[in-house]
Amino acid sequence: MSLQVEKLENNMAKLTIEVSAEEFEKAIEGAFQKNKNKISIPGFRKGKAPRKMIEQMYGKGVFYEDAANALIPDAYDKAMDECTEDIVSSPKVDVVQMEAGKPFIFTAEVALKPEVTLGKYKGVKVDKADTEVTDDEVTAEIDKEREKNSRTVEVADRAVKDGDIATIDFEGFVDGVAFEGGKGEDYPLTIGSHTFIPGFEEALIGAEPGKETDVNVTFPEDYQAAELAGKAAVFKCTVKKLQEKQLPELDDDFVSEISEESDTVEQYREEIRKKLADKKEAEAKDAKESAVIDAIIEDAKMDIPEAMLETQQRQMVQDYAQRLQSQGISMEQYMQFTGMTRDRLMEQVKPAALKRIQSRLVLEAVVAAEKMEASQEEFEEEIKTMAESYQMETDKVKELLGENGKKQVLEDICIRKAVEFVVDNAKETKTAAKKTSKKAEAPEEE
């Protein structure tokens, strides 16, 4: 295998990768062996026809595509090992030459890590976050706990209202015709959960149990089912059962049931106040870190290749899909329920993807500027933490990491050091915030 690297504009590069004719021939033979049992040739039993006979009947290039698909990943990985450039995107592959008896040649267009010119990164000024806890916030948090401990009771003497759980049968029609996937029975829908398309749940408010109600909605223009996008629809809905949540009384008995630290309502309010204060302090720390890094990014210069950004977006969408899968929801189901599309999801994560890339790049630049390094002791401590998390022996973790994994761990340690450095060197300035009384009053807008 041979590699040529051509640098392009905007931190892009084109890798030209050449695989020998002998390797290409082996790949073609491998594709033939893999597929021969699927091909029928008159006069031969399946799997017994010679390769030349198959190529004569179906064309000489019948196995080329499978051969190329087998060759490209391995050849690209070898090229990555040989390449001295820092590649930061998935490759855009294009086959240049694919002919028996000749080298197999393809190109891979990739993004290269951009250079970063740091501006100011020491003594960055950021606003100091307000960590005061108000009585209204304490009450709201207690109400959430009461909500968690509420009981659901069935009601039959009134119409649907916001917050109810309505068990419904429904069927959707467009232009008077029922559409696929628009029918459901005994579906428990919490009114106000925004589970269904916009307008559906709101239209059920006021519906009476046992009576059919017409719900008129319009599917979003970018709805994932193209045949329904932008269409007006009527759902025939019947509320079969109606339930509401009843919150427990806030008294000492309730407190003794849910808290291990408090016996009275007053004690519980102080317990909640302390927890909220701790939470606000942690949030303030995160907000300061984010603000400092934002300021450093703002004052730095870097040219992010679009391919690098797209790769990060795809990774974030894939991570989200895996989180959904862990909850038993497929990406297809999620898009069907919400009307979301993959393109919209990609666009939605774009700002966060850009921030993630910019943050990493400026912090790597800080590491280089301050000549930061990770010690062996710090590495061993990190491995120990990983081993405890995965319930594995430290030697096994090191084995699984390999050299590339070890390099990544060392880099991550340095990135954390850079974060601590820029945050510790930042200057907090107090903003002119309005004073909020600790009495039970409506919070003022800032």
Side-chain angles (χ1 to χ4, degrees):
M1 187 217 74
S2 65
L3 168 68
Q4 291 182 345
V5 180
E6 177 189 356
K7 289 193 176 182
L8 308 174
E9 294 180 344
N10 302 319
N11 290 311
M12 297 294 291
K14 183 167 74 172
L15 313 182
T16 301
I17 302 165
E18 181 176 314
V19 181
S20 69
E22 291 76 16
E23 286 298 313
F24 186 43
E25 171 57 32
K26 286 180 184 177
I28 295 172
E29 178 62 24
F32 161 66
Q33 295 295 337
K34 179 182 176 182
N35 292 288
K36 65 181 182 179
N37 291 328
K38 306 173 188 175
I39 300 173
S40 296
I41 297 289
F44 293 92
R45 285 181 297 157
K46 273 192 177 181
K48 298 301 181 181
R51 177 178 143 190
K52 287 186 177 180
M53 185 69 72
I54 296 173
E55 290 174 337
Q56 186 176 350
M57 175 165 283
Y58 290 99
K60 197 165 186 179
V62 62
F63 299 116
Y64 284 6
E65 185 176 347
D66 282 351
N69 288 338
L71 275 179
I72 288 173
D74 185 53
Y76 179 74
D77 286 345
K78 289 179 180 176
M80 286 277 284
D81 291 338
E82 184 178 322
C83 185
T84 56
E85 301 294 339
D86 203 342
I87 296 170
V88 291
S89 76
S90 302
K92 182 181 178 182
V93 173
D94 185 30
V95 175
V96 176
Q97 179 172 286
M98 185 164 58
E99 186 177 342
K102 294 183 179 181
F104 173 70
I105 304 173
F106 68 98
T107 60
E109 192 169 306
V110 294
L112 303 180
K113 181 184 286 189
E115 291 185 5
V116 177
T117 303
L118 283 173
K120 184 175 182 178
Y121 66 92
K122 298 178 187 177
V124 173
K125 292 182 180 180
V126 294
D127 291 339
K128 184 176 178 64
D130 181 14
T131 56
E132 181 184 1
V133 178
T134 68
D135 278 358
D136 284 339
E137 290 170 326
V138 172
T139 298
E141 193 66 22
I142 291 174
D143 285 344
K144 287 181 186 176
E145 196 62 39
R146 292 172 66 203
E147 177 80 19
K148 289 179 189 175
N149 288 273
S150 63
R151 64 191 186 99
T152 303
V153 296
E154 189 169 344
V155 292
D157 57 350
R158 64 168 177 79
V160 176
K161 65 180 184 180
D162 194 27
D164 283 344
I165 302 169
T167 301
I168 62 173
D169 288 350
F170 62 88
E171 185 170 16
F173 299 83
V174 172
D175 297 329
V177 180
F179 56 86
E180 186 178 353
K183 186 175 182 179
E185 294 181 351
D186 295 324
Y187 189 95
L189 175 64
T190 300
I191 307 301
S193 64
H194 306 295
T195 304
F196 279 21
I197 60 175
F200 187 99
E201 294 164 33
E202 293 85 345
L204 277 177
I205 294 175
E208 296 183 23
K211 292 184 179 180
E212 185 174 89
T213 301
D214 284 355
V215 172
N216 295 281
V217 293
T218 300
F219 283 96
E221 292 290 343
D222 54 359
Y223 192 66
Q224 53 93 18
E227 69 277 9
L228 296 175
K231 296 285 183 68
V234 178
F235 283 85
K236 302 286 186 181
C237 301
T238 301
V239 178
K240 299 174 70 175
K241 185 169 68 172
L242 190 60
Q243 297 169 293
E244 68 176 9
K245 289 181 179 179
Q246 289 187 349
L247 274 60
E249 290 293 327
L250 179 57
D251 53 26
D252 292 351
D253 288 338
F254 171 70
V255 169
S256 63
E257 287 179 9
I258 64 167
S259 174
E260 295 180 357
E261 302 174 27
S262 304
D263 296 316
T264 67
V265 172
E266 193 56 39
Q267 289 174 349
Y268 185 54
R269 291 186 70 85
E270 288 307 309
E271 176 190 335
I272 294 298
R273 188 182 297 279
K274 183 180 183 307
K275 287 180 179 178
L276 286 175
D278 291 343
K279 181 183 177 183
K280 279 197 170 188
E281 288 290 345
E283 289 173 347
K285 181 181 177 182
D286 291 342
K288 179 182 178 182
E289 178 181 309
S290 182
V292 170
I293 293 173
D294 281 346
I296 296 171
I297 290 171
E298 185 68 26
D299 208 28
K301 292 179 181 178
M302 59 189 121
D303 182 15
I304 309 296
E306 192 64 29
M308 182 182 188
L309 181 55
E310 288 177 4
T311 298
Q312 183 65 62
Q313 287 171 263
R314 283 195 297 272
Q315 182 61 55
M316 291 176 74
V317 170
Q318 184 179 333
D319 291 345
Y320 184 59
Q322 289 175 348
R323 289 198 297 273
L324 286 174
Q325 195 65 51
S326 69
Q327 299 170 25
I329 303 171
S330 69
M331 180 60 85
E332 289 70 26
Q333 288 172 321
Y334 167 77
M335 290 191 289
Q336 182 179 357
F337 293 155
T338 61
M340 180 65 73
T341 64
R342 190 169 290 274
D343 287 344
R344 275 184 62 200
L345 196 55
M346 282 282 285
E347 194 61 28
Q348 198 174 80
V349 303
K350 190 172 184 178
L354 179 61
K355 171 71 182 295
R356 186 174 293 185
I357 291 170
Q358 291 172 325
S359 299
R360 183 82 185 193
L361 288 175
V362 296
L363 290 170
E364 286 176 352
V366 171
V367 168
E370 295 296 323
K371 298 181 174 56
M372 294 177 178
E373 294 181 352
S375 67
Q376 185 62 31
E377 290 77 16
E378 289 169 328
F379 173 73
E380 294 295 339
E381 189 61 34
E382 188 73 10
I383 294 299
K384 181 182 176 183
T385 301
M386 293 173 68
E388 290 172 353
S389 174
Y390 294 115
Q391 296 183 334
M392 298 169 60
E393 296 294 326
T394 55
D395 288 344
K396 186 63 178 177
V397 173
K398 291 178 183 178
E399 180 186 335
L400 292 173
L401 281 173
E403 285 304 312
N404 288 336
K406 179 180 179 180
K407 180 183 176 184
Q408 186 64 55
V409 170
L410 292 170
E411 287 178 359
D412 289 346
I413 293 171
C414 288
I415 291 295
R416 291 202 297 271
K417 286 186 173 185
V419 171
E420 291 174 7
F421 178 83
V422 296
V423 170
D424 289 345
N425 279 274
K427 297 177 181 178
E428 287 184 307
T429 57
K430 291 184 179 180
T431 55
K434 294 181 180 179
K435 294 292 182 181
T436 305
S437 170
K438 288 196 175 184
K439 293 180 180 179
E441 299 173 349
E444 298 179 9
E445 293 184 3
E446 296 195 3

